[in-house]
Amino acid sequence: MKKDFSRIITLLRKEKNLSQKQVASDLGVSQALLSHYEKGIRECGLEFLIKIADYYDVSCDYLLGRTPQRYSDITDISDEMTKAKRDAVSQIVNKKLIQNTQGVLYDYLIKIGNRKLSNNVSNYLMLATYNMFRKIYSANKENPQDMFAVHSEVYSGFSNAAMNILSTRVSSATDENCKNDFIKQSAALQISPDTIASEYPQIASSVFNLIQHAESNMKFKK
């Protein structure tokens, strides 16, 4: 909890361009204590957790890193919202997380200005989307398969292999230990949570939420 909570409350404060002094004053705690919370040196109590959730207008689950969705009206169960409606809202949120983060990614690719790198990234994302689309499309065996040229028994393995190759190419292109034509272009792009929040104030939260969601999936929870 400590790692997610400290990172999230720090990002929320910076996203709103608030100083530690201002937030600490608003929440009725010392700046030193808030600094300890943001650095993960100390863990807060339940009362402070609820107070800071209300302050930033997010759910406690979001602050604890249990969900990438900020607002309790999306994740909380209520009599007015059926499961189908909640699922629909969740899918809309997830779609925006992906779209907004990809928008930021392509902005950075434009700034780097290397066509080969952009093509590798684009081909990787297209293959990942193709793979998932075909799995959903083919879930019903009666759906015609003639729109696909690669045989159904091998497409998944082939696409995963191609994605691994593309991922390796991107890694080598951005690894300072690998000699290539555009490592200097990639290395010149200075990025941090602060610059993301500053340059993309409207959608920076999508990037942070997608990272959080992706890393939670790496824990392979059922």
Side-chain angles (χ1 to χ4, degrees):
M1 187 274 274
K2 186 186 296 183
K3 180 180 178 182
D4 286 330
F5 178 75
S6 60
R7 175 174 58 85
I8 291 168
I9 63 172
T10 302
L11 291 173
L12 286 171
R13 178 176 60 78
K14 291 180 177 179
E15 181 182 307
K16 295 181 179 296
N17 294 317
L18 296 172
S19 65
Q20 275 190 348
K21 182 177 180 181
Q22 178 63 55
V23 174
S25 175
D26 292 343
L27 295 175
V29 299
S30 68
Q31 184 177 346
L33 180 58
L34 179 62
S35 177
H36 285 172
Y37 289 156
E38 289 191 355
K39 292 178 179 177
I41 298 174
R42 294 183 59 179
E43 289 193 10
C44 73
L46 178 60
E47 182 180 352
F48 182 81
L49 175 65
I50 295 172
K51 183 181 292 187
I52 197 169
D54 290 340
Y55 182 78
Y56 287 123
D57 191 26
V58 297
S59 70
C60 291
D61 278 347
Y62 175 77
L63 290 179
L64 296 174
R66 298 178 61 187
T67 174
Q69 299 161 345
R70 290 191 173 201
Y71 307 107
S72 58
D73 59 348
I74 292 176
T75 55
D76 290 348
I77 297 176
S78 65
D79 294 335
E80 294 77 15
M81 183 176 285
T82 65
K83 182 178 184 301
K85 288 182 178 179
R86 292 197 306 275
D87 288 345
V89 172
S90 177
Q91 292 307 311
I92 292 172
V93 171
N94 289 337
K95 180 180 177 181
K96 294 301 293 183
L97 295 186
I98 295 170
Q99 289 179 332
N100 289 341
T101 303
Q102 286 186 351
V104 174
L105 171 61
Y106 275 96
D107 274 359
Y108 290 147
L109 288 172
I110 291 171
K111 291 178 181 179
I112 292 173
N114 186 275
R115 186 167 59 87
K116 184 184 294 184
L117 178 61
S118 296
N119 286 342
N120 285 332
V121 172
S122 295
N123 289 337
Y124 180 93
L125 294 174
M126 282 190 279
L127 274 169
T129 304
Y130 160 87
N131 210 346
M132 291 299 102
F133 174 83
R134 185 163 180 178
K135 288 181 185 300
I136 300 302
Y137 179 93
S138 302
N140 184 344
K141 302 304 181 183
E142 296 182 1
N143 291 337
Q145 297 294 310
D146 54 2
M147 68 183 293
F148 304 111
V150 180
H151 195 278
S152 60
E153 293 183 359
V154 298
Y155 85 87
S156 183
F158 281 178
S159 61
N160 287 334
M163 287 168 61
N164 285 333
I165 292 172
L166 290 165
S167 179
T168 301
R169 288 176 180 171
V170 172
S171 295
S172 65
T174 55
D175 186 347
E176 62 181 7
N177 295 316
C178 298
K179 303 300 181 181
N180 55 70
D181 294 335
F182 49 94
I183 184 59
K184 291 182 179 180
Q185 295 168 282
S186 301
L189 188 62
Q190 300 294 321
I191 309 173
S192 70
D194 286 345
T195 60
I196 294 173
S198 175
E199 294 175 4
Y200 306 96
Q202 301 301 318
I203 61 175
S205 60
S206 292
V207 179
F208 303 141
N209 288 350
L210 184 140
I211 292 171
Q212 177 189 338
H213 192 52
E215 291 183 345
S216 68
N217 284 332
M218 294 178 193
K219 300 175 183 177
F220 298 103
K221 296 179 179 179
K222 293 185 178 180

